[in-house]
Amino acid sequence: MNATTEPTGSTGSTELRDPVARLTTPEPITLARLHAELVARATDDRLVDVVYDTVDSPVGTLLLAATDVGLVRVAFASEDHEAVLQRLADRIGPRILRAPDRLDEVATQLAEYFGGARTSFALPLDLRLSTGFRREVLEHLPEVAYGRTESYAEVAARAGRPRAVRAVGTACATNPVPLVVPCHRVVRSDGSIGAYAGGAATKRTLLDLEAAA
Amino acid sequence: MAEHGPTVLRVCRAHAPAAAAEDAWSETFLSAMRAYPDLDPGANVEAWLVTIARRKCVDQHRGAARRAVPRDVAVSGDRDGTGSVAVAVARDDVPGEPVDEELWSALRALPPKQRDSIVHHHLVGLPYAQVAELLGGSEAAARRAAADGMRRLRETYGRIDRGRDHP
């Protein structure tokens, strides 16, 4: 080790001597460890309102969020994940933590779905973000089989209100857990694909995926 | 809340050594999460967390006094009365960056007014006007206290460097 301590003007030496730089050196590794420990303790103590994670998928980065009850939100990148988290804070509670472990099962089943190896999801759901008739519609959507499509009118009939075609459209458009509750299988009566939270192209990708599997 | 994690950790290090600071960090956020539903929506979350953190560090001191030695710190002196003056603690039991405990310890050993002015201005990032509001006294006094404290830290640090190079 060089015994010279005179400032030489070389890089690093000034910063090394600046106490503020030393005291504000980022500690990402330590913070990641502390954060993981905090998540474990906080979830044990039921102090967390929502846990979330983001995962990559063939239709872009997905935000996954869950409560104690179950999966509460799946959001496409086009929905702006920061804005989605803010709305979750407003609607459910502000204690929101990133906790990949808690969303392992959801991520695994989604990966299986995108790989063509899974045709239905077996996950606890928390549908609190959807209420009334919209929620009834969501509860009927898993009856539309993998690889098939139904019209908004057919789904309205399933939900017991055959004339509520427009309301079914709204229920699908506001589905808080797309992919898992398959609103992408609901299309227009004229055969055109219809709108989708993740964009019409995403809806097409999903229907093609299911048709090919 | 997570966005305040780095700031709260710095505040904890300014008030408690090594592992005790990290325990205080965890306790701060757990405590905050318990209290969060009752927090006034307009409240300054960062200032609130900093206040909790300082209180938790005091608790950690009390706890540390009962424990023999903080779990990952080799005690080589007790300059600041907190039970540790370990040098750049490299921890092989848990993942984390090495911590310059010598400098943190020097910061903790400063007169409270100097230490707190440095913490609030340089580590939390508040302007001196707000530091003065928190600590009492004038903005100029807060600025002076921070400057005096920084001078002492630089002196201490110069000694540390010389000590390291010429043992």
Side-chain angles (χ1 to χ4, degrees):
Chain A
M1 183 175 170
N2 192 340
T4 310
T5 57
E6 291 301 312
T8 58
S10 63
T11 54
S13 117
T14 311
E15 193 174 300
L16 217 83
R17 282 168 181 285
D18 175 8
V20 173
R22 303 291 306 234
L23 296 173
T24 54
T25 304
E27 298 187 62
I29 301 171
T30 299
L31 282 163
R33 165 171 54 82
L34 291 176
H35 187 86
E37 289 166 4
L38 177 67
V39 169
R41 286 181 66 186
T43 47
D44 283 352
D45 292 357
R46 297 188 160 264
L47 292 172
V48 182
D49 297 313
V50 177
V51 290
Y52 75 96
D53 193 19
T54 52
V55 295
D56 291 329
S57 85
V59 294
T61 305
L62 299 171
L63 174 80
L64 313 175
T67 64
D68 282 349
V69 178
L71 184 67
V72 74
R73 191 75 170 87
V74 173
F76 297 100
S78 58
E79 297 178 82
D80 183 357
H81 291 166
E82 279 304 313
V84 171
L85 287 173
Q86 186 55 55
R87 282 199 297 280
L88 289 173
D90 297 340
R91 291 281 298 273
I92 298 173
R95 299 177 297 185
I96 298 183
L97 288 178
R98 182 186 280 271
D101 290 358
R102 292 277 312 277
L103 290 145
D104 256 359
E105 185 57 32
V106 180
T108 301
Q109 292 197 18
L110 278 170
E112 290 166 355
Y113 169 77
F114 284 116
R118 173 173 287 279
T119 59
S120 69
F121 292 91
L123 295 167
L125 299 180
D126 182 346
L127 293 178
R128 76 173 80 182
L129 296 176
S130 190
T131 55
F133 181 64
R134 291 181 188 180
R135 180 162 175 162
E136 282 174 45
V137 171
L138 297 185
E139 282 163 0
H140 282 282
L141 283 181
E143 295 164 11
V144 184
Y146 181 89
R148 305 254 335 261
T149 59
E150 278 191 14
S151 68
Y152 291 100
E154 286 171 304
V155 173
R158 269 188 195 280
R161 284 176 59 186
R163 287 154 58 133
V165 178
R166 201 170 281 272
V168 168
T170 310
C172 289
T174 57
N175 175 11
V177 282
L179 300 171
V180 174
V181 169
C183 61
H184 57 274
R185 291 176 200 151
V186 187
V187 298
R188 292 204 181 119
S189 317
D190 65 7
S192 67
I193 192 162
Y196 191 56
T202 296
K203 192 170 183 174
R204 171 51 58 200
T205 303
L206 297 173
L207 293 177
D208 288 349
L209 165 85
E210 295 189 6
Chain B
M1 260 201 248
E3 65 191 280
H4 303 296
T7 301
V8 171
L9 183 56
R10 291 200 287 268
V11 171
C12 290
R13 293 212 187 285
H15 290 94
E22 296 179 5
D23 290 346
W25 186 95
S26 304
E27 292 300 327
T28 297
F29 280 98
L30 283 171
S31 171
M33 291 172 85
R34 276 186 204 102
Y36 210 110
D38 301 325
L39 182 68
D40 173 0
N44 178 339
V45 173
E46 186 177 72
W48 177 63
L49 287 170
V50 167
T51 307
I52 300 175
R54 296 188 51 159
R55 203 166 60 231
K56 291 300 174 188
C57 287
V58 173
D59 293 349
Q60 289 297 325
H61 276 242
R62 293 200 188 111
R66 286 193 298 271
R67 289 194 299 269
V69 176
R71 63 168 182 261
D72 56 5
V73 179
V75 177
S76 60
D78 194 7
R79 222 182 299 163
D80 60 355
T82 56
S84 110
V85 190
V87 177
V89 185
R91 293 160 300 180
D92 33 298
D93 54 338
V94 288
E97 292 81 2
V99 177
D100 191 343
E101 263 306 308
E102 212 157 11
L103 181 57
W104 285 108
S105 162
L107 175 67
R108 293 194 290 270
L110 290 177
K113 186 76 191 270
Q114 294 181 9
R115 180 199 62 200
D116 293 344
S117 298
I118 290 174
V119 170
H120 287 298
H121 180 72
H122 292 291
L123 304 190
V124 177
L126 297 178
Y128 282 117
Q130 261 176 275
V131 177
E133 250 172 65
L134 278 170
L135 303 179
S138 69
E139 184 179 339
R143 191 185 298 273
R144 200 162 49 240
D148 290 347
M150 291 301 286
R151 195 173 317 114
R152 275 219 218 184
L153 285 187
R154 285 199 191 86
E155 284 164 14
T156 312
Y157 218 61
R159 265 206 310 282
I160 291 168
D161 273 355
R162 280 193 294 281
R164 278 176 190 162
D165 290 334
H166 307 288

